[in-house]
Amino acid sequence: MSRFVRPSKNVPPPQQLSSVSSFRPVAVRKPNAGLPPGCRPSVQNGQLLNRHPFLDSHSQLLGGGLSVGTITIVEEDRNSSYYLALLKYFIAEGLAVDHEGLVYTSQRQFVSRLPKNLTAEYEKEKEEEEKRKAGGEINKTETPSLTIAWQYEKYLNKDAGVVAHKSGSLKGASVKSFCHSFDLGKSMRDEYMSSKKMKTVDPCELSREDVYQSLLDSISSIIEKEYSTDGKVMKQPNILRIGIHSLCCPSYGPINERSLLLFLHRLKGLLRHSLAVCMITLPSHIIGPHLTKSVHLYSDTLLSVSSFESAVGQVSSAFDEYDGQLVIKKLLRINSLVAHTPETLHYVFKMKRRKLLIEILTLGPEESRSTKEKEKEEAGAERMAAANISSVACAPAPSKRKDLEF
Amino acid sequence: MFADLHKILVDSTDKNLRGLFVLVTDTILADGSFVLHHYIHSNLRAEKKTILISLDQTPFHYNSVGKKLGFNLADSNYFSIINGLTNNDPVCTYIRILIHLRSLYVQLKEKIDQEKGVNIVLDNVNILYHMYTREETDMFIQYCTSLIRSQPSVRMTIGESNEMKESESTLVMLMHEEEEEETMRSIAYSADLILSAEQLETGYSKEVDGQLTVISTREPGSQRGKSVGGRYHYKMNENNVQLSSYNSG
């Protein structure tokens, strides 16, 4: 029977039927009581969902977040680093909800360049303001202001106590918000980072003998210490967010196919029985199509990022305002036959005021596009003609120069 | 289990075969694992011994799907699982499997020895190709095929009717299309029934999950069912798979 224990969630034992038969008042429980912070259960498969600020900004995309115990692979683009924003968002959101972060990257500035948490700053300011206000109110209550209706003073103090209690509970709820917004242009403050659990490992520090085995050992030692769900009841469950930046890049040494695939297979098995979620970015253009396809097999969710900058001239003018494209290549299928089915698999994104925005890729009707292009072409031709006229006005015409040469 | 699929499979299966080797191929977006669930559950309902070699998903996943289909795998005496993904399980043989593929075969043989009409399900064969050499994996598949062909058939009730029928041992194998074409061809050559799930040619659709092509590789003149295969659209629900004719839209 132990074979079928739920791998990635601490589920309380089911109530016995006998206790259901008698009428008892049911204790009201908080909806997410006992769950790790920043998580909510999925309706579809019961897995815990972790928020990703960018991918969840479009509710259709992944059905509510990244599931605990799964691997998400992001295919990197050749000439841009938008994929890196996805990884940074993933880690930064984890830190915002007090998850632990574990990042394997050769970029030393990775942590210092994590986006600034605007929500935390805002909440901090608000808290300080409330404290100031509360201090003012206490001073006020010390001097009773009821001079005419003085008999009601005893009721006023009681009401004030109730109001204070209520506002306190509300304040407690608002301190930890589920959604955070980040500023990609600014980096996290050091004092904010110091209070968070975050570990960064350079792949060059791993053993050169079998780099993927030592990578796995390093992850499994952390998971087995605190995050494994094998028959343990955790008092304060928390989530570990693992980010692997550019797996198979030259920092990992020469690629050993079998070692890499064995690593991914065992990582998948390890994650299934732990409160951890993993995001890997993969430079697929340097490892070849065959190995890329094999790696895809071990992913639970597969996304591909490509920027329009690297394909100048090949992208339609209809996408001028966008910076790149995001394609879902594999949908998560766990504990259920059915996967979350989004409306479409193709999305476009753009940088707007230091924030990455995502939209569904849509093309206007063929006629309107062609007319727009025609208009543009015409406008371009007119501009050229105007330039020619000016050149004619300032200098002798090229045809005349030809005549002179002969 | 899935009524539509059951009908198609019965129609396109050769009745004279001794042991049935079913190859299921799929792509990264068109998932073909529902065929495996169909074989697991339809055989367990008929009280036929079923062994699942699970390399891609946890036992919890199969049990969770099973519960949605109305069957508890954990309570079944006819079901056993060889867990090749996670190594935390006391019953698990993960370490032993990964040392040598022969030990997996020996274990399989021990489990089905003295049994009549067994059902072996392998999810999925690509991982074996990644973990071992190609020769070793090819050999394993050949051994498994000859194992089910040598098992004696059993008389049992199959499907809705109470009629007693001869039931053969089956080997069901899932394979993703990423593997080299030569490898796929060589496995398809020894398969009796090939079911390939693919994405729709017209692209992604929310209403249809993909298309399923059924190919029956039978000897000419053999006792055959009504059809020799075909192509269908499929849509998965939580507890059913709907199949519709390819041309009906």
Side-chain angles (χ1 to χ4, degrees):
Chain A
M1 295 290 279
S2 60
R3 290 174 291 160
F4 297 98
V5 172
R6 185 178 199 86
S8 57
K9 220 176 117 183
N10 285 320
V11 180
Q15 285 187 336
Q16 285 181 353
L17 280 173
S18 59
S19 66
V20 180
S21 60
S22 61
F23 288 101
R24 285 180 192 176
V26 180
V28 180
R29 293 178 68 188
K30 285 181 189 173
N32 291 348
L35 294 183
C39 284
R40 58 180 171 193
S42 160
V43 182
Q44 197 159 33
N45 51 35
Q47 291 290 104
L48 291 174
L49 293 175
N50 289 277
R51 205 178 158 269
H52 188 289
F54 173 62
L55 299 174
D56 290 355
S57 59
H58 200 286
S59 58
Q60 277 291 320
L61 200 77
L62 293 178
L66 305 173
S67 289
V68 161
T70 60
I71 303 177
T72 304
I73 294 185
V74 180
E75 276 192 309
E76 296 176 8
D77 186 27
R78 192 173 286 196
N79 294 326
S80 79
S81 55
Y82 288 109
Y83 71 90
L84 200 57
L86 259 74
L87 188 64
K88 281 181 177 173
Y89 269 137
F90 171 71
I91 298 294
E93 174 67 26
L95 296 182
V97 288
D98 290 334
H99 292 172
E100 192 170 332
L102 174 64
V103 186
Y104 293 88
T105 177
S106 48
Q107 280 189 6
R108 295 201 171 172
Q109 314 90 345
F110 184 87
V111 178
S112 59
R113 286 189 184 166
L114 281 176
K116 187 180 178 182
N117 186 347
L118 295 175
T119 318
E121 301 268 317
Y122 173 72
E123 278 172 0
K124 209 177 177 186
E125 278 174 21
K126 211 179 171 185
E127 246 179 80
E128 279 170 10
E129 203 175 299
E130 273 178 11
K131 268 184 194 171
R132 256 184 278 129
K133 272 185 186 174
E137 273 169 19
I138 288 163
N139 288 337
K140 275 178 196 171
T141 49
E142 277 172 1
T143 52
S145 59
L146 296 180
T147 47
I148 300 168
W150 55 270
Q151 283 187 333
Y152 289 94
E153 259 174 34
K154 53 183 176 185
Y155 300 112
L156 188 73
N157 286 340
K158 273 185 189 174
D159 288 349
V162 171
V163 169
H165 177 71
K166 274 187 181 173
S167 68
S169 64
L170 280 173
K171 204 166 69 183
S174 69
V175 163
K176 289 279 170 207
S177 71
F178 194 70
C179 303
H180 297 85
S181 58
F182 297 89
D183 186 347
L184 278 174
K186 292 175 184 168
S187 53
M188 275 189 184
R189 287 187 314 185
D190 290 342
E191 52 189 276
Y192 176 79
M193 286 295 301
S194 60
S195 63
K196 305 290 176 186
K197 283 184 172 179
M198 170 88 190
K199 196 183 170 192
T200 317
V201 182
D202 193 335
C204 298
E205 293 168 14
L206 299 166
S207 156
R208 288 291 99 188
E209 210 169 284
D210 190 349
V211 68
Y212 296 108
Q213 183 59 42
S214 58
L215 181 62
L216 183 76
D217 291 342
S218 128
I219 295 172
S220 69
S221 65
I222 293 173
I223 285 183
E224 277 163 16
K225 214 183 277 174
E226 287 179 61
Y227 299 95
S228 176
T229 54
D230 291 345
K232 288 179 197 167
V233 178
M234 293 178 183
K235 282 180 185 171
Q236 286 179 328
N238 200 1
I239 304 286
L240 174 70
R241 292 200 180 206
I242 306 166
I244 303 176
H245 176 212
S246 292
L247 187 73
C248 310
C249 71
S251 322
Y252 288 87
I255 300 168
N256 180 348
E257 275 191 32
R258 186 152 297 169
S259 175
L260 170 69
L261 297 175
L262 186 65
F263 158 73
L264 288 168
H265 184 244
R266 296 188 69 178
L267 179 67
K268 195 176 175 182
L270 190 68
L271 289 177
R272 286 287 198 265
H273 285 266
S274 64
L275 285 174
V277 55
C278 182
M279 182 180 265
I280 300 173
T281 66
L282 183 78
S284 48
H285 50 276
I286 63 168
I287 62 169
H290 181 68
L291 183 58
T292 307
K293 277 186 171 181
S294 304
V295 171
H296 287 174
L297 194 69
Y298 296 93
S299 67
D300 291 301
T301 309
L302 181 64
L303 306 167
S304 169
V305 175
S306 54
S307 84
F308 294 150
E309 287 161 23
S310 58
V312 182
Q314 295 167 17
V315 184
S316 163
S317 58
F319 300 117
D320 277 350
E321 58 175 311
Y322 299 104
D323 291 317
Q325 192 188 7
L326 179 92
V327 183
I328 305 176
K329 288 191 170 176
K330 190 178 180 182
L331 292 159
L332 175 70
R333 216 175 282 269
I334 188 168
N335 300 345
S336 172
L337 274 180
V338 190
H340 161 72
T341 43
E343 290 289 336
T344 174
L345 301 177
H346 296 262
Y347 298 83
V348 279
F349 59 82
K350 58 181 169 186
M351 271 301 263
K352 198 176 181 185
R353 285 193 172 188
R354 299 168 178 184
K355 192 182 174 186
L356 219 48
L357 285 181
I358 191 163
E359 284 175 26
I360 288 180
L361 189 149
T362 45
L363 283 170
E366 184 61 35
E367 280 180 15
S368 73
R369 265 188 294 144
S370 54
T371 49
K372 265 186 190 174
E373 274 168 20
K374 266 184 192 172
E375 275 171 17
K376 271 192 176 178
E377 275 171 20
E378 279 169 14
E382 274 173 20
R383 249 183 276 132
M384 286 293 286
N388 280 342
I389 289 162
S390 66
S391 69
V392 168
C394 301
S399 57
K400 281 185 181 175
R401 205 189 287 163
K402 264 186 184 177
D403 289 341
L404 281 171
E405 279 171 4
F406 286 99
Chain B
M1 190 63 241
F2 305 132
D4 295 350
L5 185 64
H6 180 75
K7 194 172 177 297
I8 292 162
L9 293 177
V10 168
D11 283 352
S12 44
T13 309
D14 192 344
K15 307 291 183 299
N16 279 349
L17 274 177
R18 183 86 192 270
L20 179 70
F21 177 17
V22 183
L23 175 69
V24 186
T25 64
D26 68 358
T27 62
I28 204 157
L29 261 176
D31 184 48
S33 64
F34 68 92
V35 182
L36 304 193
H37 289 287
H38 169 79
Y39 271 102
I40 293 171
H41 289 277
S42 56
N43 283 308
L44 284 176
R45 275 166 204 263
E47 298 189 339
K48 194 166 159 184
K49 174 112 178 163
T50 298
I51 300 160
L52 169 67
I53 305 167
S54 151
L55 301 166
D56 195 33
Q57 291 285 7
T58 53
F60 183 81
H61 168 82
Y62 293 101
N63 200 32
S64 181
V65 174
K67 279 179 183 167
K68 285 176 185 171
L69 298 176
F71 196 91
N72 193 356
L73 294 178
D75 287 347
S76 175
N77 295 327
Y78 296 93
F79 180 69
S80 60
I81 187 163
I82 298 173
N83 182 359
L85 180 68
T86 51
N87 57 353
N88 64 328
D89 204 326
V91 195
C92 162
T93 47
Y94 179 79
I95 308 289
R96 269 187 289 157
I97 290 173
L98 291 183
I99 289 170
H100 210 282
L101 201 48
R102 189 181 288 168
S103 62
L104 178 61
Y105 175 73
V106 170
Q107 203 186 0
L108 203 61
K109 202 160 184 276
E110 277 170 11
K111 277 186 190 283
I112 67 169
D113 210 22
Q114 310 295 326
E115 289 282 343
K116 285 180 178 178
V118 236
N119 179 33
I120 303 169
V121 179
L122 175 59
D123 178 20
N124 56 53
V125 76
N126 300 62
I127 295 172
L128 289 184
Y129 275 105
H130 295 159
M131 302 296 151
Y132 306 99
T133 59
R134 198 184 147 183
E135 292 75 31
E136 213 175 346
T137 315
D138 282 344
M139 188 79 86
F140 174 76
I141 295 168
Q142 286 305 317
Y143 269 63
C144 286
T145 317
S146 61
L147 192 68
I148 55 140
R149 298 232 195 271
S150 63
Q151 287 297 116
S153 61
V154 61
R155 282 182 72 79
M156 57 169 62
T157 53
I158 298 169
E160 301 295 315
S161 64
N162 288 326
E163 193 187 340
M164 292 289 278
K165 285 179 184 171
E166 287 280 320
S167 175
E168 294 298 330
S169 297
T170 44
L171 170 68
V172 188
M173 213 175 258
L174 179 68
M175 187 174 196
H176 290 288
E177 238 178 21
E178 58 91 20
E179 212 49 62
E180 283 170 32
E181 201 145 311
E182 268 179 43
T183 319
M184 281 200 73
R185 274 190 216 152
S186 77
I187 299 180
Y189 178 78
S190 18
D192 305 311
L193 193 63
I194 303 160
L195 295 118
S196 57
E198 293 159 310
Q199 251 187 291
L200 286 181
E201 283 164 4
T202 46
Y204 172 78
S205 160
K206 206 182 168 187
E207 305 305 324
V208 180
D209 285 330
Q211 58 190 40
L212 184 75
T213 314
V214 183
I215 304 159
S216 175
T217 56
R218 290 174 299 193
E219 284 176 39
S222 62
Q223 187 192 347
R224 58 179 62 185
K226 287 168 196 162
S227 74
V228 285
R231 193 181 271 189
Y232 309 88
H233 282 151
Y234 71 91
K235 167 75 184 162
M236 281 187 264
N237 300 324
E238 285 286 0
N239 57 2
N240 197 15
V241 174
Q242 291 172 330
L243 288 168
S244 57
S245 176
Y246 189 72
N247 295 324
S248 70

